[in-house]
Structure formats: structure tokens, C-alpha cells
Amino acid sequence: MEKFVGVFLQSNGKYKAYIGINGKQIILGRFETFEDAKQARLEAEKRYGKPKQYRNVHEEIIGKKYPDSRLFVDGWGISQKNRTIYHCTCECGNKIDTSYDHLQRGKTKSCGCIRVEQSRQSIQQTYQKVDEIQKLSRIDGTSAITLNQKVSKNSTTNVKGVSKTKYGYRAYINVARKQIHLGSFDTLEEAKQARMLAEEKYYQPILDEFNERLNHNKKA
């Protein structure tokens, strides 16, 4: 098959002539014969000047799998912006059009399935970490990560573990899914103090154990 820079035999049997100017491909026409396409290219070189460097990128990549990617380059065409694009088939079967620049710089390595897989893997790793922390936090029937939860919006005192009653304030604490009554008090401050002492007694050992497990897990 005859070859000439800027002349490409299309699948329909016609010869396409083109020339690259300032990064853009200018279509010179599609011709029935190789000689007509070659002549059009030569005239364009006289008009625009012969490109200083030229590589027949089409021959280099079409019909092959592009290196370090999942894309097989099937052919090429011209975009609406009059730029060369390459028609590719991803290993997963999806079709995608991209530029040579994106292929060369590694910006396009697949139809997008790599990004989806990486996102799915990242989510899975996050769930695994959360699940691992939840398992480490379960100590003597109590989850350590729930001990520092904020005060409920429905709280009548805005103090965790203290509720207002008809006769004053009631303090309590939940441990291993059981509620321990800490006493009834005349003032909010007294109930709050009882709750703080209970947290020191019941919660602090659990939190210390949890932190120790986390540190050990990081070193492992």
C-alpha cells in the first residue's frame, strides 16, 4: 500500500488528505485516488508550510492496545471542534472517544471503569475500617464510640444523663444496655455532678481500653 505523510486510506476505500497546523488538523478533502490526495497535501504544504516534525500517530496506535491503559484504538475521526479524536474500545466493552494528548498523558486510560473500581474499592476500605473500629469498640457489652455522643435534642436539661422530674432532677447512666439509676436531686448541678462521677467510674475504663486497642491495632 502506498504511503505519504498526511494521506490516510479510510475504511470506505477513499483517501483522506490532511495537514496539522498549530495543533489542529485541517481536512484537505477525501479523494478517490492516492495521487489526488497526495497532490492536495503537497499544495497544502506550499500554502501552510511543511510541519517541522511529523509522526504517523495513526499507524502507531490504531489497531493496537494503547500502552498502560485498557483501551484498544479502533480508528479515528474529527470532533466538532475540528480536532483529531480516537475511537477506542475499553476492555470492559464500552466505547469511548478521546484525544491523543489524553492517551499520551495518561488522562484517559479507560472508559471510566477504572475510576468506578477505585471509588468502589475506596468505599469498601472505608466500610472495613469502620467495621474494624466498631469491633474494637465493643467492650463488656458497651460500644466505646457511643459514649461521647452529644446530648439529645429532646433533653429537658441539656445535660446528658440528667432529666427533669416533677420533684427535681434524676441522674442515670447506661452501661451494657442497662440503665443505672444514680439518684434524685433537688438541683441540676447536683444531678450533673452525679452523672460526671458515674462517667468516670463506668465510662473511663472502657474508653481507656478502647484507646489502648486502637494504639495496638496501629502498631500491628
Side-chain angles (χ1 to χ4, degrees), residues 157 162-171 183-192 194:
T157 62
V162 177
S163 61
K164 193 170 186 346
T165 66
K166 195 173 183 179
Y167 303 101
Y169 298 89
R170 173 177 172 267
S184 297
F185 304 89
D186 294 330
T187 66
L188 176 61
E189 195 59 37
E190 288 175 323
K192 181 179 179 181

Side-chain angles (χ1 to χ4, degrees), residues 1-4 6-18 31-34 37 56 58-59 62 76:
M1 184 178 69
E2 296 179 287
K3 294 183 179 181
F4 192 78
V7 175
F8 180 72
L9 179 60
Q10 297 180 299
S11 58
N12 60 6
K14 292 187 177 182
Y15 292 89
K16 173 184 173 182
Y18 59 91
F31 305 88
E32 296 293 337
T33 67
F34 173 79
N56 195 333
H58 297 332
E59 289 187 0
I62 289 177
W76 69 285

Side-chain angles (χ1 to χ4, degrees), residues 36-220:
D36 288 340
K38 177 180 176 180
Q39 186 61 36
R41 168 67 189 212
L42 289 172
E43 291 176 0
E45 288 180 0
K46 292 178 182 179
R47 179 180 177 184
Y48 297 108
K50 189 173 182 178
K52 293 181 180 179
Q53 294 181 343
Y54 180 82
R55 290 169 54 208
N56 195 333
V57 176
H58 297 332
E59 289 187 0
E60 290 180 16
I61 67 175
I62 289 177
K64 303 173 185 176
K65 180 182 177 184
Y66 198 83
D68 300 321
S69 79
R70 296 182 180 182
L71 299 176
F72 293 86
V73 185
D74 303 318
W76 69 285
I78 302 298
S79 70
Q80 293 181 347
K81 294 182 179 180
N82 199 33
R83 291 184 178 276
T84 302
I85 56 173
Y86 289 91
H87 309 307
C88 304
T89 301
C90 187
E91 287 180 351
C92 68
N94 289 332
K95 303 286 186 180
I96 184 175
D97 291 341
T98 188
S99 67
Y100 178 70
D101 179 63
H102 282 193
L103 287 170
Q104 188 180 42
R105 293 165 58 188
K107 293 185 69 176
T108 304
K109 292 186 176 183
S110 71
C111 65
C113 59
I114 292 179
R115 184 170 61 254
V116 172
E117 289 173 7
Q118 289 175 339
S119 177
R120 187 182 295 118
Q121 186 177 14
S122 177
I123 292 172
Q124 185 177 7
Q125 289 173 346
T126 299
Y127 276 119
Q128 287 175 344
K129 288 180 181 179
V130 171
D131 185 58
E132 187 176 356
I133 290 175
Q134 287 179 337
K135 289 179 180 179
L136 291 174
S137 74
R138 296 189 187 102
I139 301 169
D140 297 331
T142 299
S143 176
I145 58 178
T146 64
L147 300 184
N148 292 322
Q149 289 180 343
K150 295 181 179 180
V151 182
S152 171
K153 293 180 180 180
N154 298 323
S155 173
T156 56
T157 62
N158 204 30
V159 177
K160 191 175 179 181
V162 177
S163 61
K164 193 170 186 346
T165 66
K166 195 173 183 179
Y167 303 101
Y169 298 89
R170 173 177 172 267
Y172 60 91
I173 192 167
N174 295 319
V175 180
R177 297 184 181 182
K178 293 181 180 180
Q179 189 176 97
I180 299 173
H181 177 65
L182 304 176
S184 297
F185 304 89
D186 294 330
T187 66
L188 176 61
E189 195 59 37
E190 288 175 323
K192 181 179 179 181
Q193 184 63 28
R195 167 69 189 208
M196 290 175 64
L197 291 173
E199 287 184 2
E200 186 71 24
K201 178 182 178 180
Y202 294 107
Y203 286 177
Q204 196 56 51
I206 295 174
L207 292 172
D208 291 342
E209 173 67 18
F210 178 49
N211 288 328
E212 187 176 336
R213 289 184 180 184
L214 287 177
N215 291 332
H216 179 74
N217 190 58
K218 289 179 181 179
K219 293 178 181 179

